[in-house]
Amino acid sequence: MGGPRLAALPEELLLLICSYLDARGLGRLGQVCRRLRGLTARDPLWRRIARGCLNAGFSPLGADLAPGIPVKHRVKVSQNWKHGRCRRETLLKWKRNLMPWMQLDGECLYLSQAEDIGAYRLRPDRAGIQRHPHAIFSGHQEDVCRFVLADSHIVSGGGDGNIILHEMHGSYSVKFSAHEQEVNCVDFRGGIIVSGSRDRTAKVWSLSPSRAGQCLHTIQTEDRVWSIAISPLLSSFVTGTACCGHTSPLRIWDLESGQLETCLGTDFHRGAGVLDVLYETPFSLLSCGYDTYIRYWDLRASTRKCVLEWEEPHDSALYCVRSDGNHMLASGSSYYGVVRVWDKRQSRCLQSFSLSSPTSSPVYCLCFNTTHLYAALASALHVLDFTAP
C-alpha cells in the first residue's frame, strides 16, 4: 500500500522528499512504479549528487559543463570511473614511433601524426573514431610538437621552428618563423599566442588584424621551455622549463610587459623539468613533469609552495595531466603507457591502466569527456570506454 499512497502525493511534495535521498535511494524508489521512475530521473534531483562525483560534468560552483547528457546517466558512469570499470580499445596504429599530441573538441578528435594534424570524427557512441580524418592540417616541415584549439582556429608549433595558424572550418592559414629551434609548446587566447622553445626563449605574438604575426616580446628564459599556458584572465602566462639551471622551472610572466611576475616553488631539483602545465581557474594551475609529482598551485594562497601534490607511485616521469575542472585528474606516465585516475580529495592514485604492455611507451597526451578517455602513445591511439565495462 505504501507505493500507491506515495505516488498519489502532489509532485512538489514528492520532489521535496526525493531531494533527501542518495543515489541508491533514488534508484530504488524509481522501481516502485512508472510515475516515480520518471520523477526520480529528473536532473535537479541528481545534480546535488553529481557535484560530489568524479567527472560528472559539473564545476565546483555547480555549473553544468556537459548539458544535454542526463545527470542520472553521468552519475552512473561516474561510478565506473571510480572503480576502474571500462572497455579498452585501440583506435589507430601507425608504423613508426612518434610523439603525438591531441585535442578533443565536441564530436571531433584532433591528432598530430608527424608533420600533419588530422581531424577525426567520433562515432555516435563516442567509443571509436572514423578510420580516416575528414580534414588534414599541414604545413610544417618537421613533426608537430604541440597544438591548441581556440576560437575556431588551430595553432601549432613544430620542430621546424615555425608556428602555423589554421582556420578549423576554412582554408585560411598563415605560417611565421617563430624560433631558432623547435617550438615545444604553444597556447592561444584572446588573439594572443605564446610559444616556448628549445632555444631557451618564450615569445608573445599578436594576431590582431594590424599586427598579425608580430612578436610583442621575446623572453630569455635561460632554460629550454617544455610547457606554456595563458591565464584565463589574459593578464599573464606561465612557463614550465627543463630546470637545468638555478631558477625555478615554473615562472609567471606579465603578458603586456613580458616582465617576470613571480616564481612558483622554492624546493626544486636539477632536472626536475615541467612537461605540462594548465590553468584550472584564473588563480589555480596544475603542473607535472620529471620529478614524478602532480602539483596544484593556488596563487591566492602562496607562490612558494603548492597547496596539494600527488606522487606517481612507480617513480615515473609524468608527461601530461588533465582535469575535469572539479574532483578528477588523469595523468600519463613515461613507462608502459600507464594512465592514472586521481581523486583530488585523496592522496593516492584511484585507478591505473597500462595500455602498452609488454612494450613500453610514454603517454604523450590524453584527453577525456564524461564517458571516454583517449590516450596517445608512441605508435597507437587508445580509448577507455567507461559506459561499457
Side-chain angles (χ1 to χ4, degrees):
M1 297 294 291
R5 290 178 180 175
L6 181 64
L9 292 174
E11 184 173 292
E12 294 79 6
L13 187 56
L14 279 173
L15 289 173
L16 178 62
I17 294 171
C18 290
S19 68
Y20 290 96
L21 299 178
D22 60 11
R24 179 173 293 183
L26 285 173
R28 288 177 173 175
L29 184 60
Q31 296 175 357
V32 171
C33 65
R34 187 173 299 176
R35 184 190 178 204
L36 290 177
R37 183 176 64 183
L39 190 80
T40 56
R42 295 190 181 180
D43 280 357
L45 294 177
W46 291 91
R47 188 179 298 267
R48 171 183 54 84
I49 299 169
R51 289 180 62 180
C53 293
L54 287 181
N55 196 26
F58 284 91
S59 74
L61 297 178
D64 193 342
L65 307 177
I69 303 175
V71 181
K72 179 181 177 180
H73 175 70
R74 285 185 257 167
V75 171
K76 179 180 178 181
V77 174
S78 173
Q79 296 306 301
N80 293 336
W81 287 91
K82 180 179 179 180
H83 298 289
R85 298 189 294 254
C86 64
R87 183 181 66 195
R88 309 180 188 193
E89 185 179 347
T90 301
L91 299 180
L92 291 174
K93 289 185 177 181
W94 42 90
K95 294 183 179 180
R96 63 188 179 99
N97 286 348
L98 302 172
M99 297 176 66
W101 194 251
M102 177 174 53
Q103 297 277 287
L104 186 61
D105 182 49
E107 303 299 320
C108 196
L109 184 75
Y110 293 81
L111 175 70
S112 68
Q113 294 170 283
E115 303 92 349
D116 299 328
I117 301 170
Y120 295 85
R121 287 195 176 95
L122 301 179
R123 294 203 308 249
D125 61 1
R126 298 194 177 190
I129 60 175
Q130 293 184 351
R131 188 170 183 83
H132 301 286
H134 72 272
I136 296 177
F137 303 90
S138 57
H140 287 286
Q141 302 304 309
E142 296 185 31
D143 288 5
V144 173
C145 297
R146 296 268 179 111
F147 68 91
V148 64
L149 311 179
D151 301 331
S152 299
H153 290 85
I154 301 177
V155 177
S156 60
D160 54 6
N162 293 326
I163 292 176
I164 301 181
L165 172 75
H166 292 281
E167 278 187 342
M168 292 171 63
H169 308 293
S171 58
Y172 174 80
S173 68
V174 60
K175 178 198 294 190
F176 47 95
S177 179
H179 291 269
E180 295 179 0
Q181 298 185 46
E182 58 260 42
V183 181
N184 290 323
C185 50
V186 292
D187 199 10
F188 175 44
R189 285 179 186 261
I192 293 291
I193 295 174
V194 293
S195 61
S197 171
R198 191 182 181 89
D199 66 8
R200 301 171 183 248
T201 66
K203 296 187 178 183
V204 181
W205 308 85
S206 172
L207 286 182
S208 63
S210 59
R211 307 171 74 180
Q214 180 179 343
C215 181
L216 303 180
H217 305 292
T218 298
I219 298 166
Q220 302 297 327
T221 61
E222 302 177 1
D223 211 347
R224 291 166 290 174
V225 185
W226 294 135
S227 54
I228 202 163
I230 301 175
S231 163
L233 295 178
L234 301 179
S235 59
S236 59
F237 68 97
V238 60
T239 55
T241 56
C243 200
C244 293
H246 301 284
T247 57
S248 168
L250 270 176
R251 284 172 283 176
I252 295 178
W253 311 83
D254 183 77
L255 200 55
E256 184 174 352
S257 67
Q259 297 299 308
L260 178 66
E261 284 191 355
T262 188
C263 299
L264 298 183
T266 56
D267 183 19
F268 50 88
H269 303 283
R270 184 176 176 85
V274 177
L275 295 175
D276 200 9
V277 61
L278 63 94
Y279 277 92
E280 268 205 328
T281 72
F283 309 105
S284 61
L285 55 91
L286 292 159
S287 65
C288 69
Y290 284 118
D291 69 348
T292 75
Y293 280 90
I294 302 171
R295 290 189 169 89
Y296 181 81
W297 304 85
D298 190 331
L299 306 180
R300 297 164 298 184
S302 173
T303 58
R304 296 177 60 83
K305 186 174 177 58
C306 63
V307 293
L308 290 170
E309 63 183 17
W310 302 268
E311 184 178 11
E312 214 285 338
H314 290 166
D315 202 32
S316 299
L318 293 169
Y319 275 55
C320 53
V321 62
R322 291 293 177 268
S323 169
D324 70 346
N326 200 356
H327 300 303
M328 196 186 91
L329 302 175
S331 63
S333 302
S334 58
Y335 296 114
Y336 294 104
V338 173
V339 171
R340 299 192 189 277
V341 172
W342 310 77
D343 187 334
K344 290 182 187 175
R345 299 162 292 189
Q346 301 180 20
S347 59
R348 295 186 178 183
C349 166
L350 193 64
Q351 299 294 335
S352 65
F353 310 90
S354 179
L355 301 179
S356 69
S357 180
T359 59
S360 183
S361 166
V363 179
Y364 287 109
C365 186
L366 58 82
C367 55
F368 60 85
N369 51 32
T370 58
T371 54
H372 296 80
L373 183 147
Y374 304 88
L377 279 62
S379 60
L381 173 66
H382 300 266
V383 65
L384 301 178
D385 180 359
F386 289 88
T387 66

